[in-house]
Amino acid sequence: MNTAATLGTVLLVYAPAAVTPGPNFVLIAHTAAAGSRRAAVAVAAGVVAAGGLLATVAVFGLGALLAATPWLATALRIACGLYLAWLGIRLWWKARAPDREPLPERKNAFGQGMLSNVTNPKAAVFFGSVLTATLPPTEPTATKVAAIGLIVLASATWHLSVALLFSSPATQRWYDRARPVLNRVVGAVLVVLGIALAVTG
């Protein structure tokens, strides 16, 4: 697989995982909803920074381990594919469930964003296994660095957009109405990607 195709695959797998509603999304959206755009942007920056750190550790740390143990790489790929499919089904099934995530403390917005992503189970699973399964250890270092940069760029684009958009009362009202449909669309995409990842050697 050439570099462009590899990076395209990384982006295709990462994008739905990034936009899936979860702790990071809730923290940023709620911070913006409270009327503090600056704090919301700081939270988003913390989430992005933590994602870049997790991606770097996964690509340059776990990659070597998976290269030495092919069976573990296969097991992780299948487990992660099933996890993505389960997450998609869960999103679809609970699309109309009310959002009951607690609103965190925001004394240190950037630190809260980093902590949210580092302790996020979805982030741990994605960076610890989905990413390493999508980006084989045999890929050149330059491709790995480019993939990390692409993830950081995509993460920054999405999370900063959430911080800015949710500062608008009109957007808050629109999301509240559209959330069930959006969750079902993202859920369907995750199911397809999860199945593809699990069955593709």
Side-chain angles (χ1 to χ4, degrees), residues 23-163:
N24 296 334
F25 181 90
V26 170
L27 179 63
I28 297 170
H30 282 206
T31 303
S36 176
R37 174 169 290 184
R38 180 175 297 182
V41 169
V43 171
V47 169
V48 173
L53 177 62
L54 290 172
T56 301
V57 170
V59 170
F60 290 104
L62 288 179
L65 174 62
L66 295 178
T69 53
W71 67 267
L72 179 59
T74 300
L76 285 175
R77 175 176 54 78
I78 294 173
C80 291
L82 294 177
Y83 173 80
L84 285 177
W86 172 82
L87 181 60
I89 293 171
R90 184 170 178 269
L91 270 177
W92 180 279
W93 186 259
K94 296 187 175 182
R96 291 191 174 275
D99 182 3
R100 293 195 174 99
E101 290 287 344
L103 190 62
E105 295 287 337
R106 301 191 192 94
K107 295 179 181 178
N108 181 350
F110 183 84
Q112 285 286 330
M114 288 202 69
L115 183 62
S116 174
N117 209 8
V118 168
T119 60
N120 183 0
K122 288 196 309 176
V125 170
F126 176 82
F127 290 114
S129 48
V130 176
L131 179 60
T132 52
T134 306
L135 192 65
T138 53
E139 290 289 342
T141 300
T143 301
K144 295 178 181 178
V145 172
I148 294 170
L150 185 62
I151 287 172
V152 170
L153 178 61
S155 177
T157 300
W158 168 247
H159 292 108
L160 289 174
S161 295
V162 171

